[in-house]
Amino acid sequence: MDKPEAKGAMLPAARRQWLLEHLAGRGVVRITHIAQAMGVTPVTVRRDVNDLAAEGLVERVHGGVRLVADVSAESSGEDATPAIGMVVPSLDYYWPEVIRGAQDTAHEKCARLVLRGASYQVDDVRHQVEWMIGSGAVDALLVAPPTRGAGAEELLAWLTALPVPVVLVERSAVSGPYRQHVESVRTDHAAGAELAVRHLHLQGHRRIGLAISATSPTSGQVRDGWHHAMTDLGLPPAPEVSVAAYYEPGWAVDVDRVLDLCAEHDVTALVVHSDREAVSLVQRAEERGVRVPADLSVVAYDDEVARFAHPPLTAMRPPKYAVGSTAVHLALERLAQGPDRPVRRVVLSSELRERASTGARTEALR
C-alpha cells in the first residue's frame, strides 16, 4: 500500500479507511510504522485506532494494532504474530547458539524471528536493517552492530532513531546528545577473563600471559578483565599479545611469537581468546615439545570447540543461549509496554568449564 498522497491533510474518515486497508493481511503492525507511512503523528494514529477499536474493527496487540478480521487467520495457520528481526555478524562461529536461544524463546512467546546474517562492517549491518524496516517485515530488532571504528557511532544513532524497538546483542552502547544508554543484553567478558586468571592463580600459577584476537569486538573486555585480575592479585608482569586469527597468514608467526615470549618470561599459564586460536596454539606447543598442562596451562575463551581439542581445553563459556533468549524477552516487553518502559541493560556471567589443559604449577617453560 502506498502512502496516502494527502498525508496529514486527510479527513479522519479517509485516514481510518486507509488504515483498515493498510492493516489487511499484515497481522500486527506498530503504531509508529503506521504514523510514518501516513505522514502523521503517533497521537493521530492512536486516536484513529481507538475509534476503530470502539467499532470492533481493530484490536490493540503487543504495542501495535491488527484487524479483528485477521485474528481468525491465526487458527487457520496464517501468521499474525509479532515479528522480531535479528541481524548478527556471523552465522557459524559463536552466534548459532545465540540465535537458537532467540528462536526458541520467540516460538514459546508466539513470535516470529526474522534472521539476517551480516558482518562486522557498518554498511553491511545498515543494509540488512534497512531491508527489514523498508519491507515492514519486523516489529522490533535485535542487532549486534560494530560499536567502534569509522561510522560506528553514526550507525548507533541511526539505529536508536528507528521507528521500532532496538535491543543490542552482545554489545553495550550509549547514543544521542545526552549519551543515553541503549537497551542491551551482553556477557560480562571482563568478569569471565578475571575468573580464568583466578582459576590459574589458585592452581599456583603466578606468571599468566594473555593471547588475544586482534579483530574481535570482545577482545577489549577480555583484556580489561585480565589486567584487573593480575593487578588485584599482585601478580608480576606477563606477556600480553594481540594475535591474528588462526586462519590468517600472520597466525603462523604469531603463535611462535607467543610461545617464545612464554619461554622468555617463564610463563606457566596462558589465557587465549578465542577457542580456535587456543586449539591451534596447543597443537603448535606440542610440536615444539611444550607439554600442556605440565609445562603450560591453557584456558580458552568462548568454549565453542575447546572440548574437542587434545587435550580437552579448560574454557570460559559465555551464556550464549541465554543472551539470545533474554534479547527476545526485552524486545517483546518493550512492544507490550511501550516507550515509557525504563531502558534495561542486562549483563550475564560466563562460567568456567574445567578440563585437562590446566593443572597445578610444576615448572616454567624450557
Side-chain angles (χ1 to χ4, degrees):
M1 178 72 66
D2 295 330
K3 289 184 181 180
E5 294 182 1
K7 296 187 178 181
M10 295 176 67
L11 295 174
R15 283 200 313 268
R16 289 195 288 271
Q17 181 59 40
W18 182 90
L19 178 56
L20 291 173
E21 293 174 0
H22 184 74
L23 290 174
R26 290 174 178 259
V28 177
V29 181
R30 294 277 294 165
I31 295 293
T32 48
H33 280 170
I34 299 169
Q36 186 180 47
M38 294 181 72
V40 298
T41 67
V43 172
T44 298
V45 175
R46 290 190 185 96
R47 186 164 56 243
D48 291 338
V49 166
N50 289 338
D51 290 343
L52 292 170
E55 298 176 29
L57 298 175
V58 301
E59 178 184 27
R60 296 290 296 268
V61 179
H62 294 292
V65 61
R66 65 180 172 189
L67 281 180
V68 169
D70 285 343
V71 177
S72 61
E74 295 182 6
S75 60
S76 63
E78 202 172 314
D79 192 1
T81 59
I84 300 175
M86 187 174 195
V87 180
V88 296
S90 171
L91 296 176
D92 51 13
Y93 188 83
Y94 193 94
W95 290 96
E97 187 72 359
V98 179
I99 295 166
R100 191 168 71 86
Q103 179 66 67
D104 288 352
T105 302
H107 179 73
E108 291 169 5
K109 297 296 181 180
C110 298
R112 286 188 300 118
L113 191 71
V114 182
L115 178 66
R116 301 284 287 187
S119 67
Y120 291 95
Q121 302 300 314
V122 167
D123 290 344
D124 196 10
V125 173
R126 182 159 183 155
H127 170 74
Q128 300 301 340
V129 172
E130 283 179 335
W131 180 87
M132 287 186 171
I133 297 298
S135 65
V138 298
D139 303 296
L141 279 168
L142 315 180
V143 190
T147 55
R148 295 181 181 179
E153 188 171 345
E154 291 80 2
L155 176 64
L156 280 169
W158 177 75
L159 287 171
T160 57
L162 292 173
V164 299
V166 174
V167 178
L168 301 187
V169 183
E170 281 293 20
R171 306 286 187 266
S172 181
V174 294
S175 182
Y178 303 109
R179 313 304 289 166
Q180 304 99 312
H181 286 285
V182 182
E183 198 140 54
S184 63
V185 54
R186 68 174 182 87
T187 302
D188 190 342
H189 296 295
E194 278 199 57
L195 183 56
V197 173
R198 293 182 186 278
H199 167 71
L200 293 165
H201 177 262
L202 284 175
Q203 292 185 322
H205 299 279
R206 295 298 177 263
R207 293 191 181 273
I208 303 170
L210 175 69
I212 194 165
S213 171
T215 57
S216 170
T218 304
S219 296
Q221 297 173 57
V222 174
R223 181 186 294 110
D224 290 345
W226 176 81
H227 270 297
H228 186 272
M230 296 287 285
T231 302
D232 190 52
L233 293 168
L235 298 180
E240 171 194 341
V241 187
S242 291
V243 298
Y246 83 103
Y247 51 81
E248 295 178 350
W251 171 247
V253 174
D254 284 348
V255 67
D256 278 323
R257 180 163 59 99
V258 170
L259 292 172
D260 288 344
L261 286 170
C262 287
E264 180 183 342
H265 294 276
D266 295 326
V267 169
T268 62
L270 194 62
V271 178
V272 184
H273 178 260
S274 58
D275 273 23
R276 298 177 293 190
E277 286 70 36
V279 171
S280 182
L281 182 142
V282 169
Q283 291 171 350
R284 181 58 180 151
E286 183 180 45
E287 293 170 358
R288 291 179 46 157
V290 178
R291 299 167 298 167
V292 175
D295 299 323
L296 181 68
S297 285
V298 175
V299 178
Y301 199 100
D302 274 352
D303 201 27
E304 282 286 318
V305 295
R307 64 190 181 278
F308 302 119
H310 179 75
L313 304 186
T314 295
M316 295 307 306
R317 183 172 179 78
K320 297 181 277 284
Y321 185 95
V323 167
S325 175
T326 303
V328 170
H329 279 294
L330 289 177
L332 290 177
E333 287 169 6
R334 174 66 67 181
L335 285 172
Q337 299 175 27
D340 294 333
R341 176 180 177 274
V343 171
R344 301 193 182 178
R345 293 171 291 143
V346 179
V347 180
L348 303 175
S349 296
S350 296
E351 62 176 324
L352 178 74
R353 297 290 179 91
E354 188 172 359
R355 301 189 181 101
S357 66
T358 55
R361 177 187 177 185
T362 54
E363 57 181 325
L365 282 167
R366 293 179 179 175

